[in-house]
Amino acid sequence: MTTHEKFPRADLPTADVMNEDQARLLARLSQRYAEALTEIRDRTPQTSVPTLLHAVHAHQVRRMVVSHPLWRKAVGETEVPEDRADDVAAALALLQVARDDLENLETGLLLAARTASSRTGKPLLTFKQIAAALGVESEQAAQGRYRRRVGTPNATASGIDGTR
């Protein structure tokens, strides 16, 4: 039995990473944007920072589980994956890059959420919808987040954010 067979890839992320609703949303977006993901990978062959961080994490979890004597005895495992301290240190150093990427992504998505819909001319999402999606408690909290990331929600002289 190969290592890959012992550690099959799950269709949905584990419960300690995200809840069931988040896993369902991830699965839906993965299916909807599968073609775009392929195109992005073709244009940018470098692997994304979050993907690399997940790979390092997965290897270390596997190493910790397999190195436990009771687990090895139960499954008859004799080979323990190598320690990769340098990889863990590099992954920790890259966390800030991943955080910065996510902040930039959030800014772009918030701007897209408040940009006028081509069908209705109204913002794509209300602040109530944004609050629900972000998991914040109120529309005001969503507006505050928008203001910190993008600018004043009702400063629409330029019309960039789609509010009127």
Side-chain angles (χ1 to χ4, degrees), residues 49-66:
V49 170
T51 302
L52 287 171
L53 296 179
H54 279 287
V56 171
H57 177 261
H59 176 83
Q60 293 305 316
V61 168
R62 191 174 318 119
R63 181 188 63 79
M64 290 185 294
V65 169
V66 171

Side-chain angles (χ1 to χ4, degrees), residues 6 17 37 45-46 62 70 75 81 98 103 112 124-125 143-144 163:
K6 290 179 188 170
V17 176
L37 292 172
Q46 307 89 315
R62 191 174 318 119
L70 292 176
V75 298
E103 286 181 15
L124 193 60
L125 297 177
Q143 287 175 345
T163 58

Side-chain angles (χ1 to χ4, degrees), residues 85-158:
D86 291 346
D87 290 355
V88 173
L92 288 170
L94 286 173
L95 281 175
Q96 188 57 49
V97 173
R99 286 184 189 107
D100 292 344
D101 285 348
L102 287 174
E103 286 181 15
N104 290 335
L105 182 59
E106 180 181 11
T107 300
L109 289 171
L110 286 170
L111 184 58
R114 294 301 295 167
T115 299
S117 167
S118 57
R119 290 183 306 205
T120 66
K122 295 179 181 179
L124 193 60
L125 297 177
T126 65
F127 281 108
K128 184 175 183 177
Q129 292 169 312
I130 293 171
L134 291 174
V136 297
E137 293 188 23
S138 67
E139 293 177 52
Q140 292 77 16
Q143 287 175 345
R145 192 134 164 191
Y146 182 92
R147 193 176 304 110
R148 287 188 299 279
R149 297 276 187 230
V150 177
T152 307
N154 294 320
T156 59
S158 64

